[in-house]
Amino acid sequence: GPANASAASRRVVGAAICAGLFPNVIKVIRPRQRFTEVAGGAVAKDAEARQLRFFVAPPAGPPPLAAAAARHEGRGGELTDAGIEGLEQVNLHPSSVNFTQATYSSRWLVFSEKVKTSKLYVRETTEVTSYALLLFGGEVTANYADGTISVDGWISFSANARVAALVNGIRSKIDAVLEAKIQEPAMSLDNEEALRVAVRLLATDGLGTMAV
């Protein structure tokens, strides 16, 4: 039925999980890109799972987003220590299906809980896209000085202010639809344009190409 129309889309399902688990967000920091010499030149060397680092907002709340963080960020989600100041480093729990995962298409995960044993671990992690966080995360603001937009003041993306305005407009329409649904449970959502736009953005990650 209509409720399961996007059940096969990993991105859309991930967005639903993101909406339920936010603000439990993890930033994935990849090691700097390294290359291996081969007969034809040099090829990029894949990172190993143990080389990834994971950071979350501390219990006191997320730190203010520093403009330097965006400038220090390299290709592939690499950050210098200047870009992760104020964040709390965590480890994926060994029982997590992502524990041995070395590559992610996104720099962001969400998690169900954080526990302290021999180390600080996060459990039950799921990769989420930028649009999942933008549409179902915290407050979206534009940072004009460095050409980024942020969610909750610390989850940042390279984008101009127009994207922030677009996202906030869609979020307002989604909120209105959901409020109407709460007031009238029998209301059909099949023809709601705001929901169709949101699903399209999530399924394509804003690129216009459907993917699972």
Side-chain angles (χ1 to χ4, degrees), residues 18-19 22 25 131-140 151-152 155 171:
C18 178
F22 193 89
V25 178
Y131 274 101
L133 290 164
L134 288 167
L135 290 175
F136 299 110
E139 181 182 3
V140 176
V151 178
D152 259 14
I155 302 168
R171 286 178 60 154

Side-chain angles (χ1 to χ4, degrees), residues 135 165-175 194-195 197-198 201:
L135 290 175
L166 169 67
V167 167
N168 282 325
I170 295 173
R171 286 178 60 154
S172 294
K173 292 183 181 299
I174 292 174
D175 288 347
L195 299 186
V197 169
L201 278 174

Side-chain angles (χ1 to χ4, degrees), residues 72-91:
H72 283 296
E73 189 163 353
R75 293 181 180 179
E78 305 147 0
L79 280 178
T80 67
D81 287 342
I84 52 178
E85 289 177 355
L87 298 181
E88 182 176 55
Q89 187 165 3
V90 295
N91 302 274

Side-chain angles (χ1 to χ4, degrees), residues 184-208:
E184 183 53 62
M187 170 186 168
S188 173
L189 301 179
D190 296 352
N191 298 315
E192 291 294 336
E193 182 65 21
L195 299 186
R196 287 203 297 269
V197 169
V199 168
R200 181 76 182 182
L201 278 174
L202 292 167
T204 65
D205 205 25
L207 301 177

Side-chain angles (χ1 to χ4, degrees), residues 1-111:
N4 294 320
S6 299
S9 173
R10 174 180 55 84
R11 290 172 173 171
V12 176
V13 173
I17 296 172
C18 178
L21 294 180
F22 193 89
N24 292 355
V25 178
I26 303 168
K27 187 165 199 170
V28 182
I29 306 300
R30 304 178 180 96
R32 295 194 179 280
Q33 185 70 72
R34 299 188 183 280
F35 297 86
T36 301
E37 295 292 334
V38 296
V43 295
K45 185 177 181 180
D46 291 335
E48 299 178 16
R50 62 183 177 83
Q51 295 176 304
L52 301 179
R53 293 188 295 163
F54 305 93
F55 292 85
V56 301
L65 179 66
R71 292 197 297 272
H72 283 296
E73 189 163 353
R75 293 181 180 179
E78 305 147 0
L79 280 178
T80 67
D81 287 342
I84 52 178
E85 289 177 355
L87 298 181
E88 182 176 55
Q89 187 165 3
V90 295
N91 302 274
L92 300 191
H93 195 273
S95 64
S96 170
V97 295
N98 286 325
F99 181 70
T100 58
Q101 182 71 24
T103 58
Y104 296 95
S105 58
S106 169
R107 293 185 292 124
W108 307 98
L109 309 174
V110 291
F111 64 95

Side-chain angles (χ1 to χ4, degrees), residues 27 62-70 73 83 141-143 146 148-157:
K27 187 165 199 170
L65 179 66
E73 189 163 353
T141 56
N143 308 300
D146 53 27
T148 65
I149 58 177
S150 63
V151 178
D152 259 14
W154 73 278
I155 302 168
S156 63
F157 308 94

